[in-house]
């Protein structure tokens, strides 16, 4: 029996849902497009989308389910909502940063945050970062935060060096 994920991010695109789904599936391992529902003539006067174009695209990115909707140009993404990509190594950080930032706005890149070419915000973060930032020694956490604030793509070695500095 198919189990339904309790909470599924539902993302509004303007005609790019299928392209975005293919793009994201190409970046994250263990990912797939699960189903595409297409617009028909029915309701065209309301939705305004060409019959046969993707209405919703259900996909999984490394086990996390998402639904992408082609809803038109009414709503845009903002950095108020972002998705965190937890990375174990600099190699992983580099992979996700390089692929997700491709074609995105350079001015949206700060402190591990980026906007992709569709305007969706991502945080590409080493899994070690929360431990360093929550260290009970405020000085250590402060050094890490100071280092982090100077970065666009996060440099795990530099963050660890700031953490260990005496």
């Amino acid at each position: 029996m198919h189990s339904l994920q309790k909470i599924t991010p539902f993302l509004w695109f303007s005609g790019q849902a299928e392209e975005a789904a293919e793009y994201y599936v190409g970046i994250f391992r263990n990912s797939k497009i699960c189903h595409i529902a297409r617009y028909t003539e029915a309701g065209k006067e309301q939705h305004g989308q060409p019959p046969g174009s993707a209405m919703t695209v259900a996909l999984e990115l490394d086990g996390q389910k998402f639904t992408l909707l082609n809803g038109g140009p009414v709503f845009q993404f903002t950095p108020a909502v972002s998705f965190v990509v937890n990375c174990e190594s600099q190699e992983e950080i580099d992979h996700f940063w390089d692929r997700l930032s491709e074609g995105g706005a350079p001015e949206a890149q700060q402190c591990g945050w980026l906007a992709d070419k569709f305007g969706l915000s991502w945080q590409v973060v080493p899994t070690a970062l929360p431990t360093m930032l929550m260290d009970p020694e405020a000085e250590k956490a402060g050094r890490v935060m100071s280092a982090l604030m100077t970065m666009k793509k996060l440099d795990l070695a530099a963050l660890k060096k700031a953490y260990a500095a005496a």
Side-chain angles (χ1 to χ4, degrees), residues 50-92:
S53 65
M55 179 174 59
T56 59
V57 182
L59 67 149
E60 284 185 26
L61 300 178
D62 207 2
Q64 171 68 47
K65 294 177 183 171
F66 290 82
T67 300
L68 311 185
L69 166 74
N70 275 330
V74 180
F75 300 112
Q76 304 295 315
F77 294 122
T78 76
V81 174
S82 62
F83 293 98
V84 175
V85 180
N86 293 302
C87 300
E88 295 295 327
S89 66
Q90 188 65 48
E91 181 181 46
E92 258 194 308

Side-chain angles (χ1 to χ4, degrees), residues 30-53:
N30 303 319
S31 299
K32 64 184 176 185
I33 293 175
C34 304
H35 179 76
I36 300 174
R38 299 201 178 272
Y39 282 107
T40 64
E41 283 291 337
K44 188 168 188 231
E45 53 283 346
Q46 281 85 25
H47 62 66
Q49 302 298 320
S53 65

Side-chain angles (χ1 to χ4, degrees), residues 24 47-48 52 73-74 106 134 154:
Y24 298 138
H47 62 66
V74 180
M134 292 185 286
L154 299 187

Side-chain angles (χ1 to χ4, degrees), residues 3-164:
S3 66
L4 192 60
Q5 182 171 290
K6 192 68 155 176
I7 299 172
T8 300
F10 196 93
L11 306 173
W12 184 295
F13 287 82
S14 180
Q16 303 161 307
E18 195 167 1
E19 176 190 348
E22 290 169 2
Y23 180 69
Y24 298 138
V25 165
I27 294 173
F28 292 88
R29 63 179 172 62
N30 303 319
S31 299
K32 64 184 176 185
I33 293 175
C34 304
H35 179 76
I36 300 174
R38 299 201 178 272
Y39 282 107
T40 64
E41 283 291 337
K44 188 168 188 231
E45 53 283 346
Q46 281 85 25
H47 62 66
Q49 302 298 320
S53 65
M55 179 174 59
T56 59
V57 182
L59 67 149
E60 284 185 26
L61 300 178
D62 207 2
Q64 171 68 47
K65 294 177 183 171
F66 290 82
T67 300
L68 311 185
L69 166 74
N70 275 330
V74 180
F75 300 112
Q76 304 295 315
F77 294 122
T78 76
V81 174
S82 62
F83 293 98
V84 175
V85 180
N86 293 302
C87 300
E88 295 295 327
S89 66
Q90 188 65 48
E91 181 181 46
E92 258 194 308
I93 292 168
D94 294 346
H95 166 76
F96 288 112
W97 183 272
D98 295 347
R99 294 292 310 277
L100 289 168
S101 67
E102 193 176 278
E107 63 274 12
Q109 298 175 359
Q110 185 62 41
C111 303
W113 289 59
L114 63 89
D116 68 23
K117 65 183 178 179
F118 302 103
L120 187 59
S121 293
W122 300 84
Q123 298 179 56
V124 180
V125 180
T127 54
L129 184 61
T131 301
M132 290 188 273
L133 289 174
M134 292 185 286
D135 193 286
E137 289 184 45
E139 219 175 273
K140 289 172 94 173
R143 286 193 308 266
V144 173
M145 180 58 83
S146 293
L148 176 98
M149 296 304 290
T150 67
M151 299 176 185
K152 288 187 177 215
K153 175 172 68 173
L154 299 187
D155 179 336
L156 183 54
L159 292 169
K160 286 180 175 179
K161 184 178 178 183
Y163 184 69

